[in-house]
Amino acid sequence: QTEKPERVLLMENSLLEQLSFLDGQIQKVEKEMKKLGKKDDVVKILESIPGVGPITAFALRWKMENIERFKNSQHLASYFGLGIREHQSGDHLQKGKITKTGNNLIRKLLVQGAQVINRTHPEYLRLYFPNLTNPEQMKNKKHVNKVVVAVARKQLTFVYYCWKNGTPFSIQEYKKRRDNSTVNSQEDSKTDSSKSS
């Protein structure tokens, strides 16, 4: 085995020292963010959203500053580069990939949070997107990545309405609304079919 030259060893040690220093600085900043976040009502509300931890909540709160800046959740998604590109040709409108404009750090934090949900609470994905998450579809890695991005965008919808209404997110309440919506659409469908017959 070839011995490393002394110059290489010195560079390696220097790099490890710098990485250790940076790691310590990052930990200090994260600790301070969590400390400040505990005193902020908006941060507390945002932390109630699945996949939004204390760091993401703090970053969102201070990057957005005021929810009134955004006219709706779609505006918020576009602001952070999670809006969908649209291509129009004549009467045909085709939806493409996300725009990836805006704050790259926030987008990465949201996507990381969505990946955590995929690993720890796959039932939430089925609740959010029942038509996109059957077991066969979720075997495809590319499809899973699309669902993860869709979850990140969904998180921003929750951010918008929770902050706007000043209420924490509740997965139970969300499930109840989804169930009621399904029942109502089924009843509407039965009514329409009885009218046509």
Side-chain angles (χ1 to χ4, degrees), residues 42 46 56-70 72 76-77 79-80 103 106 110 155-156 158-161 163-164:
V42 172
L46 300 187
T56 307
F58 186 90
L60 280 165
R61 193 261 184 273
W62 291 110
K63 184 62 185 172
M64 291 164 64
E65 295 180 9
N66 187 344
I67 194 63
E68 302 305 327
R69 292 172 56 201
F70 304 93
N72 52 37
L76 183 57
Y79 181 76
F80 286 119
N103 190 290
I106 298 282
L110 288 166
Q155 288 171 317
L156 285 177
F158 296 149
V159 164
Y160 179 81
Y161 287 106
W163 188 342
K164 185 97 173 166

Side-chain angles (χ1 to χ4, degrees), residues 38 50 52 54 59 66 81 104 129 149 157 162 164 176-177:
K38 283 179 182 176
V52 177
N66 187 344
N104 192 38
F129 308 110
V149 171
T157 300
C162 289
K164 185 97 173 166
K176 203 183 292 182
R177 285 200 304 274

Side-chain angles (χ1 to χ4, degrees), residues 50-51 114-128:
Q115 287 168 338
V116 170
I117 293 173
N118 181 38
R119 288 196 304 272
T120 59
H121 289 287
E123 71 277 13
Y124 291 179
L125 271 64
R126 294 191 290 272
L127 177 63
Y128 298 162

Side-chain angles (χ1 to χ4, degrees), residues 82 84 95-98 111 114-115 118 125 129 132-133 137-138 140-154:
L82 285 165
I84 302 291
K95 292 192 174 183
K97 296 180 179 179
I98 59 171
V111 168
Q115 287 168 338
N118 181 38
L125 271 64
F129 308 110
L132 295 177
T133 50
Q137 287 174 308
M138 296 303 280
N140 184 316
K141 193 174 179 182
K142 273 189 179 179
H143 181 78
V144 172
N145 289 340
K146 286 180 183 176
V147 172
V148 163
V149 171
V151 171
R153 195 163 48 248
K154 191 80 163 174

Side-chain angles (χ1 to χ4, degrees), residues 6 25 50 71 73 75 87 89 92 97 124 131 137 141 146 152-153 167-168 184:
E6 190 177 344
Q25 292 298 104
K71 56 185 177 184
S73 57
H75 182 198
H87 309 280
S89 173
H92 183 66
K97 296 180 179 179
Y124 291 179
N131 298 325
Q137 287 174 308
K141 193 174 179 182
K146 286 180 183 176
R153 195 163 48 248
T167 54
N184 290 338

Side-chain angles (χ1 to χ4, degrees), residues 83-94:
I84 302 291
R85 282 197 179 101
E86 294 182 345
H87 309 280
Q88 188 153 7
S89 173
D91 294 333
H92 183 66
L93 183 66
Q94 183 181 356

